[in-house]
Amino acid sequence: MGTSAQQIHDVVGIGFGPSNLSLAIALEEHRANSSARPVTAAFFERQPAFGWHRNMLLPSATMQVSFLKDLATFRNPVSRFSFVSYLHSTGRLANFVNTQTFFPTRHQFHQYLEWAESSFADRVSYNATVTRIGLPPEGASGAFPYVQVEVENGDGTGTRLVNARNVAISTGLVPRLPEGVERDERVWHSSEFLEKFRRMAPGELRSVAVVGAGQSAAEITRFLYDSLPHAQVSAIIPSYGYSVADDTPFANQVFDPAAVDDYYFGTARTREAFWHYHKNTNYSVVDDEVIRDLHRRAYDEEVAGVKRLHFRNLTRVNEVKRVGQETRVSMESLLESGPQELDVDALVFATGYDAMEPSAILGDLDRYCLRDATGRHRVERDYRLVTTPELSCGIYLQGGTEHTHGLSASLLSNIAVRGGEIADSIVDGRARADG
Ligand code: FDA
Ligand code: NAP
């Protein structure tokens, strides 16, 4: 994608995962339905090609959201970028319906995302990492109507500055490890799982352990057990067993577009109640089907009188050390006295993610962004950071807004609607500026 140094884009998107893909679709549909000057957009993605959590595309892993919560349908049910439209274009609509599911495999949803992404090749640069957002030289008025996005080219050809009137920061979740734990060739975070797993010869893995009791941990434990028929597989679980993700109809309402308003305009107590009562819709929980799959394997072992699937319940990992070729895990169990140790050939930390945090990319610009009493960024209902008047361009967040917009901030549930709201805000802002 070409951008000239002088050009000022209406919007620059940082990251090209589902969130910015959804925004690109909303802008495209706005262009198709309006006689106004088209919004110019450029997106920068650090991966070499489109990829949605590729290292967790495990066989049989399914979506945790209905396919109707795709990139567009909730905003525009007749969008040509819907999942149904994708099925139709691949000739699989009838047979998909025969599967009678709301939850396609992640593999299929990835195909859908790639299909949608292929319409935006002219607007996306891959191998392009945004390192920070800066300011242009100060104008006479002392105000900054646009910003400069610094993009590092992955091919080693240096950096370039791209001018933008609006920026959408959509860089995704940040992998989290327990304090002091360092990754290496034998110690992995779930976000790098398949890549690291494929580097090992199966015979090298005679004993493996997975840390955590969330969806990633359960899926990886099942995968390792099935893929390594001679290996000992340990699951290090902080709870007494996996807990189910509540996706029953009333609880699922927390992900509805209307819940964003209830959360955003609610009091501190309202917001606290959302988390208190409904955290188990998403965090440290597992789909019923995966829990049952794992339990069946454990029970079959009991019947057969062999045991290579080991659950270490009420146990947390404290420390990891390399001992020769092996990795030594130190744990604290609420069921055993004294520290516990386990030597493994590979250790997977499925210990979750931190929310997107824009401060590093904002760099010096952060001092124009206002914060609330607890030090978190203030964000408008339209996902725009609240800034001081000098910064008149819009900095929008897709992610990292759990404190203002609620539980769906990092999820797919609301991306179609959110992308539309941001697109509208950008278009309205431009109309006001044009007078
Ligand atoms: P996402 O992380 O997908 O994309 C961000 C992109 O920004 C990445 O491609 C990254 O490379 C790029 N990037 C980061 N920094 C950059 C920089 N400085 N410069 C340029 N590019 C940069 N939710 C849900 O509702 N249903 C589900 O089924 C699932 N399933 C699921 C599976 C797994 C394994 C995980 C870990 C998470 C989920 N989620 C989920 C939650 C997940 O956050 C969601 O599916 C989307 O990935 C959110 O899309 P985003 O585009 O916001 O982030
Ligand atoms: P998660 O839900 O945050 O779970 C992290 C787990 O690690 C928790 O059980 C946590 O326990 C545990 N943990 C943290 N530190 C630990 C320690 N030192 N020792 C032992 N355990 C420790 O993370 P996730 O499973 O990666 O899920 C993240 C998101 O990705 C969710 O939205 C999930 O739905 C999504 N996801 C989706 C799919 C899919 O679509 N198929 C697959 C994978 C993930 P505590 O809670 O006690 O700290």
Side-chain angles (χ1 to χ4, degrees):
M1 190 208 59
T3 57
S4 81
Q6 296 79 28
Q7 186 179 3
I8 304 180
H9 295 280
D10 289 318
V11 54
V12 161
I14 307 178
F16 205 61
S19 293
N20 266 345
L21 178 51
S22 198
L23 173 61
I25 291 171
L27 291 168
E28 178 66 17
E29 292 185 347
H30 179 270
R31 180 205 298 250
N33 296 325
S34 159
S35 55
R37 172 168 61 84
V39 172
T40 54
F43 296 89
F44 297 94
E45 166 58 52
R46 70 180 171 193
Q47 296 186 82
F50 182 84
W52 175 58
H53 302 299
R54 276 184 190 274
N55 286 318
M56 283 294 292
L57 282 182
L58 304 175
S60 75
T62 55
M63 294 299 294
Q64 298 209 286
V65 72
S66 159
F67 68 83
L68 289 171
K69 291 186 174 178
D70 59 24
L71 296 163
T73 298
F74 266 45
R75 176 183 51 77
N76 174 15
V78 294
S79 171
R80 73 178 174 91
F81 293 100
S82 67
F83 187 77
V84 170
S85 179
Y86 147 80
L87 288 173
H88 185 259
S89 78
T90 56
R92 289 206 300 268
L93 181 54
N95 219 13
F96 177 78
V97 172
N98 292 336
T99 68
Q100 299 186 6
T101 184
F102 264 125
F103 306 103
T105 60
R106 291 200 53 239
H107 183 72
Q108 182 172 198
F109 205 76
H110 199 283
Q111 264 187 21
Y112 156 64
L113 295 172
E114 285 178 312
W115 167 86
E117 179 271 348
S118 65
S119 295
F120 297 93
D122 60 335
R123 267 153 272 185
V124 191
S125 301
Y126 288 99
N127 247 328
T129 302
V130 172
T131 43
R132 66 180 192 98
I133 309 171
L135 290 168
E138 202 169 332
S141 65
F144 300 103
Y146 70 95
V147 290
Q148 292 185 314
V149 178
E150 189 176 284
V151 183
E152 194 173 282
N153 304 323
D155 58 7
T157 55
T159 57
R160 61 193 138 139
L161 291 177
V162 182
N163 300 327
R165 281 190 198 88
N166 298 282
V167 177
I169 305 178
S170 315
T171 50
L173 294 164
V174 182
R176 181 173 59 218
L177 287 160
E179 218 181 302
V181 170
E182 302 282 344
R183 307 178 200 200
D184 64 23
E185 281 315 299
R186 306 257 174 170
V187 178
W188 317 329
H189 185 266
S190 55
S191 57
E192 53 186 354
F193 176 68
L194 279 177
E195 189 191 335
K196 288 286 178 73
F197 177 78
R198 286 181 188 131
R199 281 189 210 161
M200 310 290 293
E204 280 181 281
L205 297 174
R206 288 150 299 144
S207 169
V208 293
V210 182
V211 187
Q215 184 70 20
S216 300
E219 285 185 9
I220 291 172
T221 303
R222 179 177 64 176
F223 173 84
L224 287 172
Y225 185 80
D226 293 351
S227 319
L228 302 170
H230 303 295
Q232 300 296 312
V233 178
S234 299
I236 303 170
I237 301 182
S239 48
Y240 198 67
Y242 302 103
S243 293
V244 72
D246 186 351
D247 71 342
T248 50
F250 290 110
N252 216 48
Q253 293 178 154
V254 297
F255 302 120
D256 289 355
V260 176
D261 281 332
D262 288 334
Y263 191 96
Y264 187 86
F265 296 110
T267 62
R269 283 186 62 207
T270 319
R271 292 195 275 272
E272 220 176 279
F274 269 94
W275 289 103
H276 177 74
Y277 290 108
H278 300 294
K279 198 165 178 236
N280 68 342
T281 51
N282 185 47
Y283 297 95
S284 310
V285 286
V286 182
D287 273 358
D288 180 272
E289 176 219 338
V290 184
I291 293 178
R292 288 181 195 284
D293 263 11
L294 277 171
H295 187 264
R296 198 177 56 246
R297 283 159 177 74
Y299 186 72
D300 286 351
E301 283 197 338
E302 242 178 86
V303 173
V306 286
K307 194 162 170 64
R308 59 182 195 87
L309 180 56
H310 310 274
F311 294 100
R312 288 172 169 263
N313 295 346
L314 294 182
T315 304
R316 297 186 81 85
V317 169
N318 288 332
E319 206 191 352
V320 177
K321 269 196 294 230
R322 170 60 63 86
V323 179
Q325 273 295 80
E326 299 218 304
T327 297
R328 179 159 300 163
V329 195
S330 304
M331 298 162 290
E332 192 181 317
S333 163
L334 299 178
L335 299 173
E336 318 263 351
S337 58
Q340 311 288 306
E341 287 190 338
L342 176 70
D343 288 348
V344 290
D345 300 314
L347 177 62
V348 189
F349 279 93
T351 42
Y353 295 80
D354 289 325
M356 189 183 92
E357 165 53 57
S359 301
I361 272 186
L362 286 170
D364 287 347
L365 211 69
D366 208 0
R367 66 172 187 269
Y368 300 95
C369 302
L370 303 185
R371 299 203 175 228
D372 65 18
T374 60
R376 293 173 304 189
H377 282 113
R378 286 177 52 197
V379 190
E380 306 278 10
R381 174 61 184 82
D382 62 3
Y383 303 94
R384 183 178 167 148
L385 282 174
V386 180
T387 58
T388 57
E390 303 94 293
L391 200 64
S392 56
C393 57
I395 313 277
Y396 294 86
L397 300 184
Q398 300 206 81
T401 58
E402 282 80 358
H403 61 297
T404 48
H405 292 69
L407 276 75
S408 58
S410 71
L411 302 178
L412 300 177
S413 330
N414 198 40
I415 57 171
V417 173
R418 182 177 66 193
E421 288 169 344
I422 294 175
D424 287 348
S425 174
I426 290 169
V427 169
D428 292 350
R430 194 184 61 176
R432 275 196 305 277
D434 289 351

